[in-house]
Each structure stands twice: as structure tokens, then as C-alpha cells.
Amino acid sequence: LVADTRFWVVRPRVAGGQISGLGTLLSGAYIGMDIGKSAETQHQFTGLETAPSVTTDEPGREFVLHTSDLGSLDIGSPVYYRRDQVGQVTGVELDPDGGALTLRIFVRSPYEHLVTRNARFWHASGLDVTLDANGVTVHTQSLISVLLGGIAFRLPEDGAPGGAAEPESQFFLYQNEAQAMRRTDAEITPLLAYFTESIRGLAVGAPVDFRGLTIGEVKSIDVQFDAQHARARFAVRLGLYVDQLEGAPRPSGKKVEAHQELIDEAIAHGLKAQLRTANLLTGQRFVALDFMNANGAPAPSTIRLAVPPGEIPTVSGGIEDLQLALTDIAKKIDKVPFGEIAQDLRDTMGVLQRTLNDADAVMQQVHGQIAPELTETLSAAKQAMSGAQKLLAQDAPAQQDLSEALRQLARTAESLRELTDMLQRHPEALLRGRPSDPDKASP
């Protein structure tokens, strides 16, 4: 019986996916005891409300976590490292002021060395669904953690381990992995940007981007009113990751360590901040840093990006310009006299309709008056041509009479020719008459 000896009443219990004390259903409740390791003797104890999750002689280390929300955690909830269960929650206690909770976790051997001074802990309960500028992200540790909750921990990707944590070391329990993996104040460089356009869709934690590379995040957003000039602007405080920033080498080969000098050079070469849309479906926005001219068009960079504390110039974002362009187009469309155009169109259509009606009347007149006369004329001409054809046919009576008349005329002409010839030879025949033999008569 020593100072750290513990007593509790054993009853049936289900916690953290574990079932204990089922034997008491038959044997009845009894007192359990965990022998301590202290050298101090003690004979008076306060019994525990619940059985301890681990015994004193189990190898491992205990750590303390502080959180503002317990979530679905309970005594016996699992503790994970890269989805492998390495421990469990051994105690939950509300702080005296009621503002937070204190949890005790036990990481069994040989995994206790994984808990270093720079380790980050977060809730691994249920499904961690995040909708931000990067889209929809879903994280979970295991099916048990989805149903019963749990805690996960690991080191930041680019963080130094910092050495193994001592027993009873204290850590903060974050609500999710994204918050746990964010850089601390010692790992970021602050930067301030003022925007006058709407910042709808921009939220704390939104990424700060440089040509596709995330180099920071939005730390806070505040509004500043200028009553004298009746205007407002938004102060967006950015946190740039130190490990993503490098000094620009000088011609002498020395590396510039003064961040303020680097940012002054970058701004002099056109480094500016701009709000851009990351997700058209959700409207999420982010802050983009790039070398740009006054209109936001890309400009060639001449130095490497390195940002110190200070203020960076801003340019309006693409969505804002699109909205202004659409508004301008809408105003121009609104100025178009659609009413007058419609009236002129109606008048023109009326004139066209009347013209079509007149044309239709003319066509009816042509069809009713001129067409019949033209048809009669064509019919008469056709009859005349038919009669001519019949008249000129070889076997037609008129054609035969004409042929006979022409033959008689030919014979008459022959007789006249003979008479003329005879008178030329015997002109006295006009007095004496035709001789009996004109060829033998004397002249």
C-alpha cells in the first residue's frame, strides 16, 4: 500500500470499444487494486470512479492534452500514429474554471519515443470533411474511430522532431489534422495586404499561392472604415511559411538575410497580391502573389520570391473585373432603345404586309383577266399555225392547185416566149398573119 496505489469497483463496462467486468454479472461487483511504485506508504485512499485503462506496471508513457471540446472521446478511446493504434485515453477531466478539458493518454512501449516535443495531436473522431479553396477533403483513421472517436498524432511534414517528450509533457489537442499541421508563429512570416474589392469567399486558412505553389495562408481578415472619406478597405493578414522562402543571392554571392530588403526589391519589380477564385462551385477564393503590372497582367520576375513583414500592394481580382465588365455591358444594353426599335420594326412589318397584299391582288388580277386573254391569243396562234401547216402540206388540195397553177403559168410563159421569138423574126405577121411555115418565109 503506497501513495500511487489505486482502488476501484469492478462493474460491467463498455468504453472505447473495450468490454470489461463481464464476470461480475455472475460473481457480483468487487474491488480492483493496482499496486503502485511509490516508496511512500499510505493507508487511506479515494476509490476511482472507473477502472484505469492501463496498470502501473505496463511499459509506456503518459502525456497530457488540453482541448476546448471533448467531441466523442472517452476513457479507452484509441490513440493512433499513422493509423496504427499505439495507445489510449486514460482520463478525462474538466478544468476548474470550466473553460477547457484535460485528457491523459497512455502510449505503450515501444511507441512512446514517437511522441516528440514537436508532435501535433488532433481529433480523429468520425469523418473529417473539409470544404475550402482546395476542394472537398475527407480524412478518417479507422472504422473504430468513426464509431467511437479517437486521437491521432504525428510530426509536421517539414518540422524537426525536437527530441523525445518527457512523461507528463503537455500538448494542445486540435480539432482536425489541417489545424494541427499549420505552422506556428515561429514558422511563419507575417505580411499585410489591403483590398478594397469584395472579399466574399475568402476565409481564414485560405492558401496564399505563388504560381501554383502554396507558400502561406490567410491568418485573419478585418475591415477598416474611413468615415472622413466614406470608404472601407479590408486588412488581410497573411502568414508565409518560412521554409518556403529563400533569400536572393547577391552578385557577391552573399545571401540576403534581411527580409525587409528582399520584399522591397520584390515590390520594386512588380510583386503584388491579388484575390482569385479557387472553386467556381463553392466560390472559395485565395490570395495569389505574383509579379504583375498595375492592371494585374503578369510581368517577368527578376528575383526569387522572399517576403518580409510589411505591406504588399494589391490589384483587383479577375472575378471583380468580370463583374465590372458585365455591369458595363448591362448598362450599355439598357441604353439600347428597344421600344423604338420594336415600333419601327412593327411599322416596317406593316408596310411589308401591305406590299404583300397588293402583290397578291395584282397576281389575282393577272390570273383572272390577263391570263385568260393570253390563253385565247395563244390558242388562236396555235390554230393559225396548224392551218398553215395543213395548207403547206404536200398532199393538201391547196398545195396541189398551186402546183397546177404554177405549171400552167410556166406553159403560158413558154408560149409567150415562142410568140415573142416569132415576132422578132416575122414582124409582118402582125399585118399578114402568121405564115404557114414561119421558118421558110422571106423577110
Side-chain angles (χ1 to χ4, degrees):
L1 299 178
V2 293
D4 57 352
T5 299
R6 297 178 292 182
F7 296 89
W8 66 94
V9 177
V10 180
R11 297 186 180 94
R13 178 177 175 82
V14 178
Q18 298 179 355
I19 302 175
S20 61
L22 289 181
T24 59
L25 295 176
L26 300 177
S27 64
Y30 58 90
I31 295 177
M33 175 182 173
D34 179 30
I35 299 175
K37 296 181 179 180
S38 175
E40 180 183 354
T41 302
Q42 182 174 321
H43 294 87
Q44 185 175 355
F45 301 90
T46 300
L48 302 177
E49 295 293 332
T50 59
S53 299
V54 294
T55 59
T56 305
D57 58 346
E58 185 173 353
R61 292 179 185 174
E62 239 182 357
F63 303 98
V64 180
L65 305 180
H66 300 279
T67 182
S68 58
D69 187 2
L70 184 62
S72 58
L73 296 176
D74 195 1
I75 294 176
S77 295
V79 175
Y80 295 98
Y81 180 82
R82 300 188 182 277
R83 291 186 171 83
D84 183 19
Q85 184 175 349
V86 297
Q88 58 188 358
V89 177
T90 59
V92 177
E93 183 180 355
L94 183 66
D95 291 353
D97 60 358
L101 297 113
T102 299
L103 288 76
R104 303 185 70 86
I105 64 170
F106 179 81
V107 178
R108 66 178 181 270
S109 183
Y111 304 108
E112 68 271 21
H113 70 279
L114 297 174
V115 181
T116 64
R117 289 192 294 270
N118 291 333
R120 307 285 178 84
F121 292 81
W122 68 89
H123 280 275
S125 306
L127 294 175
D128 180 13
V129 182
T130 304
L131 178 62
D132 53 18
N134 296 319
V136 179
T137 306
V138 180
H139 294 283
T140 185
Q141 292 295 321
S142 67
L143 182 59
I144 294 179
S145 67
V146 172
L147 300 176
L148 304 175
I151 296 174
F153 74 96
R154 67 177 176 87
L155 286 174
E157 294 294 343
D158 300 324
E166 298 295 330
E168 302 294 324
S169 296
Q170 301 189 20
F171 300 89
F172 184 79
L173 181 62
Y174 294 91
Q175 292 299 314
N176 53 59
E177 183 179 5
Q179 293 183 6
M181 292 298 108
R182 288 178 181 172
R183 270 71 167 183
T184 62
D185 293 340
E187 299 173 313
I188 64 173
T189 297
L191 186 66
L192 179 62
Y194 290 102
F195 294 96
T196 57
E197 62 187 286
S198 172
I199 60 171
R200 178 180 293 275
L202 184 68
V204 174
V208 176
D209 177 275
F210 178 74
R211 299 183 180 179
L213 175 65
T214 299
I215 61 171
E217 61 185 66
V218 175
K219 303 299 292 185
S220 66
I221 302 174
D222 300 310
V223 60
Q224 296 180 355
F225 291 99
D226 186 355
Q228 182 178 358
H229 299 88
R231 62 185 181 183
R233 64 178 183 175
F234 298 94
V236 179
R237 290 175 174 81
L238 312 175
L240 303 184
Y241 304 147
V242 174
D243 56 331
Q244 295 289 350
L245 307 179
E246 296 181 8
R250 292 299 194 188
S252 61
K254 293 182 179 180
K255 198 171 187 179
V256 178
E257 301 295 338
H259 286 173
Q260 188 60 51
E261 185 178 353
L262 287 177
I263 191 59
D264 290 342
E265 291 189 20
I267 292 175
H269 287 86
L271 183 67
K272 295 179 177 64
Q274 184 183 49
L275 292 180
R276 295 180 183 174
T277 300
N279 193 314
L280 293 176
L281 180 63
T282 62
Q284 296 290 331
R285 305 176 79 179
F286 66 97
V287 178
L289 301 183
D290 207 338
F291 295 91
M292 295 174 278
N293 57 27
N295 298 324
S301 60
T302 57
I303 64 173
R304 299 181 66 183
L305 178 64
V307 185
E311 180 181 343
I312 183 172
T314 61
V315 294
S316 60
I319 293 296
E320 188 76 10
D321 295 340
L322 179 60
Q323 290 176 345
L324 293 176
L326 293 177
T327 301
D328 184 61
I329 293 173
K331 290 180 179 179
K332 292 180 179 179
I333 293 176
D334 188 59
K335 293 179 180 179
V336 177
F338 289 106
E340 298 178 5
I341 294 176
Q343 183 62 40
D344 294 341
L345 183 59
R346 285 194 293 268
D347 295 342
T348 303
M349 292 300 295
V351 173
L352 180 60
Q353 185 63 41
R354 291 193 294 271
T355 302
L356 291 175
N357 292 336
D358 294 342
D360 185 65
V362 171
M363 291 302 297
Q364 291 180 358
Q365 182 178 5
V366 170
H367 180 72
Q369 299 179 7
I370 299 177
E373 295 178 1
L374 182 60
T375 302
E376 294 177 0
T377 302
L378 292 176
S379 178
K382 184 178 180 180
Q383 292 177 0
M385 291 298 295
S386 177
Q389 290 177 353
K390 292 180 180 180
L391 181 65
L392 296 177
Q394 294 182 358
D395 55 349
Q399 181 68 17
Q400 293 178 359
D401 293 343
L402 180 61
S403 299
E404 181 63 26
L406 290 175
R407 286 194 294 270
Q408 291 178 3
L409 182 61
R411 287 194 296 270
T412 302
E414 181 65 24
S415 299
L416 288 175
R417 188 185 64 78
E418 292 176 356
L419 176 61
T420 302
D421 182 66
M422 187 268 296
L423 290 176
Q424 288 179 350
R425 291 185 287 109
H426 303 282
E428 70 277 9
L430 293 173
L431 298 175
R432 298 176 181 178
R434 180 175 181 174
S436 57
D437 188 1
D439 292 332
K440 296 177 178 183
S442 59

